[in-house]
Amino acid sequence: MNLQTPLLLAVLLLLAVQAFGQKKYEKEYRLKQNKVPAEAKKFVEALSFSGRVKWYREESLNGNTIEAKVTHNQKKHSLEFDTQGNLQDVEVQINWSEIPEETQKNISKNLSAAYTNYKINKIQVQYTGQTSTLLALLKNQETTKEYATKYEIVVKGSKGRQVKLYEITFSQTGEMVATAEIIFRNIDNLAF
Amino acid sequence: MHFRLTATLLVSFVLLCSLKSQAQIGTLPAININKGLKKDWSLNFKWESRQAKLPDDLENGEGSRFKYVLSDFSLTLSKKVGLNNSLAAGYLMRIEDNRFIQRATQQFTIVKGYSFFRLAHRFTTDQTFDPESPTEYRIRYRITPEFPLSGQSIDPKEFYFKFNNEYLNSFQGKSYDLELRFIPLLGYEFTDTSKLEFGLDYRVNSFLNNATNQHYWINLSWYLKI
């Protein structure tokens, strides 16, 4: 049995894959524990999360950040740090019912004004403030110190016949602060 | 990780080629070109070819010659409906043994995005018109998860893993057959509009009639959006 053809093909393709690998430039990728800035690791360790923490490095035009993702108490947590390990913000996935009633009303009113129909796909509450304050908040679920709260809501919204996905940031009181359309990646390789 | 995965796929293929078997083994290169049109319409052109290593060659030990089998040319018009779903209809022309086989296809695709992967469901019906056989009607379902191999989403210049699993119900004359396809693929995204996928394409059919046919293809597909 002559194996030359498949072997040759295999070697060529392996070389090709290696060549692509050398050119690799990533926007966001997994980070090993030993590459995580000490400050960031210390903050996360202090929270004694029940789930496994996954670390990522994100590279963008706005700069590089380090992100820790973990599921704790059945809620997805995302903690963003700068490359020195200083905490930037904390995001926790929540349910609609966890938003204060008055804020809910304002969010609903603003969404109804902006879209003919809408459906909320995902809600995250975002906290920013002093590291010690956010540590206390995450540990005890409350703190008397000052911090800022925003809501990041992913909405499937229609305007006329056009349906799109948006990420909308609301203030603590439910005012619309920013809207960004979520651009879908090309699906051709999944359809054909 | 992507290197290990590729190596595993390739070693598997080489081992398959070395087996003495009645299974059909070959290569399946394809080019997919997609052209976006106005108002969420798009046009897909696909060329796919098959080169098979014939069982006789295997049995006689005459060497590993790959012989050209057929070429498919298809044109599909699709319309995005809803957020990430599409409806499509197409026409395929197969050139095999100097004869033309025609196929009409209709499909509905749903793509869902999750935190760390995408999942596609594809429902297809097709009708194959071969001058030498009764018309074949097929009802197909394909499920495809796609995972990034680094980070949480697939970005340009990154590798990904895709797994096609398809179930094809075929009705021809009074006969029925079920074909299963398992296609693990390693993908590389040059840009969002240009992707290369490589892997194994395993197909098994006629097992309901106790006459199992197995096909192993090495799949290399290029997706380009213009």
Side-chain angles (χ1 to χ4, degrees), chain A residues 10-190:
Chain A
V11 170
L12 283 174
L13 281 159
L14 275 173
L15 288 173
V17 166
Q18 282 291 75
F20 293 146
Q22 284 161 7
K23 288 179 194 168
K24 192 170 182 180
Y25 173 79
E26 291 168 316
K27 286 186 171 174
E28 156 264 291
Y29 50 89
R30 279 292 289 275
L31 204 59
K32 285 185 179 168
Q33 279 273 353
N34 58 5
K35 301 281 182 193
V36 175
E39 280 299 305
K41 212 189 294 185
K42 200 174 129 192
F43 182 87
V44 168
E45 282 169 359
L47 289 164
S48 309
F49 285 126
S50 51
R52 189 163 70 97
V53 180
K54 290 179 180 174
W55 291 93
Y56 298 89
R57 181 183 171 88
E58 284 189 6
E59 295 178 354
S60 73
L61 293 172
N62 302 327
N64 303 334
T65 57
I66 307 292
E67 202 170 6
K69 286 190 177 285
V70 61
T71 303
H72 179 65
N73 291 340
Q74 297 176 329
K75 284 183 180 172
K76 286 180 181 172
H77 288 59
S78 174
L79 299 89
E80 196 164 284
F81 303 88
D82 65 18
T83 50
Q84 304 301 308
N86 301 308
L87 185 68
Q88 294 192 321
D89 64 60
V90 174
E91 290 175 347
V92 183
Q93 197 168 334
I94 58 168
N95 296 318
W96 176 250
S97 58
E98 293 172 77
I99 298 176
E101 212 168 299
E102 201 55 36
T103 309
Q104 281 184 18
K105 280 181 191 166
N106 286 335
I107 290 174
S108 298
K109 189 182 77 184
N110 285 318
L111 287 174
S112 298
Y115 305 103
T116 325
N117 284 304
Y118 69 87
K119 186 186 166 204
I120 293 174
N121 284 5
K122 182 179 158 187
I123 306 169
Q124 280 184 308
V125 58
Q126 185 194 71
Y127 302 116
T128 46
Q130 292 287 327
T131 304
S132 57
T133 307
L134 297 185
L135 184 65
L137 178 69
L138 288 173
K139 265 187 165 178
N140 313 319
Q141 303 294 307
E142 59 179 39
T143 175
T144 52
K145 291 179 184 170
E146 252 184 47
Y147 62 92
T149 304
K150 282 181 185 167
Y151 298 97
E152 262 186 22
I153 302 187
V154 176
V155 171
K156 179 182 170 183
S158 60
K159 291 176 181 176
R161 292 177 68 181
Q162 275 218 320
V163 186
K164 288 181 177 174
L165 203 63
Y166 301 92
E167 186 182 88
I168 307 169
T169 308
F170 292 91
S171 68
Q172 188 168 8
T173 54
E175 296 310 314
M176 221 181 251
V177 175
T179 302
E181 184 187 332
I182 296 175
I183 306 293
F184 282 104
R185 290 177 42 242
N186 182 356
I187 64 163
D188 295 338
N189 71 318
L190 295 171

